[in-house]
Amino acid sequence: SSTAHGDAIWAASVSAALHVRAALAEGRWPDAGGGRGLADVRFLELGAGIGIPSLFLAHALGDAASHARPARPGAGEKQIFVSDIRAYHNLKQLLRSVSRHPHRALIKVVPHTWGEACSGREGESDDEPAGQGPASPRGSGFIAAECGGRRFDVVLASDCIYNPAYHDALLQSIARALARPSGRAVVTFSLHANTAPANVYAFFDAERL
């Protein structure tokens, strides 16, 4: 039976996908700095559930790349990383969806529990800027183990803040996963009547950010 957590399409996920479409169309994500173009921008979705924003994004980026000539150096690298908690049954569903996606070469499904270590290359802490080059094979943490040792230009989180008990852990993952100083987070949400609206809005409290 459905629990409506990770196995349903929520309005916040659709909103995130529409935001992604508008940002791409309006050129708000034109490059990742240092001469890197849109084809090099790295995306991470946290708490993806069924991954609607990421799957939509893969269509947009894949279609754009198919019309680009010549192929960029490094083409074929993973660009969109879709995550949900470790040992969560929906990782299997995400893998199945990605396996059927026409641009699956751009996507990687990765396990990540909010708040866990995210450091990249060897000797790098979660509080230090992540390197842009290859990860050390001895690096520790989610980014080194699953994401090639590089942080992300855009982090997406859709309908992930309805439970205030997990706000701090989610904020830790966003802060640790974002590339610095230009990374940006896109957080969309709905109110589910499980707590007072003020408790949900508290996620965006400037003092906590």
Side-chain angles (χ1 to χ4, degrees), residues 1-5 7-8:
S1 62
S2 172
T3 63
H5 292 277
D7 56 4

Side-chain angles (χ1 to χ4, degrees), residues 44-204:
L44 169 66
E45 184 176 0
L46 296 170
I50 56 178
I52 293 297
S54 291
L55 297 175
F56 178 87
L57 177 62
H59 272 293
L61 295 180
D63 289 347
S66 67
H67 293 93
R69 296 292 185 272
R72 66 178 177 86
E77 295 180 358
K78 303 301 182 184
Q79 188 175 0
I80 302 165
F81 293 74
V82 193
S83 74
D84 216 320
I85 64 173
R86 296 181 183 277
Y88 188 47
H89 68 88
N90 268 57
L91 285 175
K92 180 178 180 180
Q93 181 58 46
L94 280 170
L95 287 166
R96 182 176 299 172
S97 295
V98 169
S99 72
R100 298 176 179 179
H101 197 286
H103 300 297
R104 55 187 172 273
L106 294 175
I107 314 169
K108 182 177 181 180
V109 176
V110 293
H112 175 69
T113 300
W114 301 341
E116 71 182 13
C118 290
S119 57
R121 294 185 291 182
E122 181 181 16
E124 175 183 275
S125 76
D126 283 332
D127 296 324
E128 295 172 341
Q132 294 298 319
S136 163
R138 295 185 298 277
S140 62
F142 162 67
I143 289 177
E146 306 287 354
C147 307
R150 294 168 54 199
R151 288 190 173 134
F152 295 90
D153 302 290
V154 179
V155 174
L156 304 168
S158 298
D159 212 21
C160 292
I161 65 171
Y162 61 89
N163 188 341
Y166 298 104
H167 282 186
D168 286 343
L170 177 58
L171 279 168
Q172 288 173 17
S173 285
I174 291 173
R176 292 169 178 173
L178 278 175
R180 304 175 190 178
S182 59
R184 65 189 69 180
V186 176
V187 179
T188 59
F189 67 99
S190 300
L191 299 175
H192 295 287
N194 60 302
T195 187
N199 295 332
V200 177
Y201 296 136
F203 179 84
F204 302 102

Side-chain angles (χ1 to χ4, degrees), residues 19-37:
H19 177 82
V20 164
R21 181 177 67 179
L24 293 173
E26 296 168 11
R28 283 185 271 145
W29 294 337
D31 61 62
R36 297 162 60 224

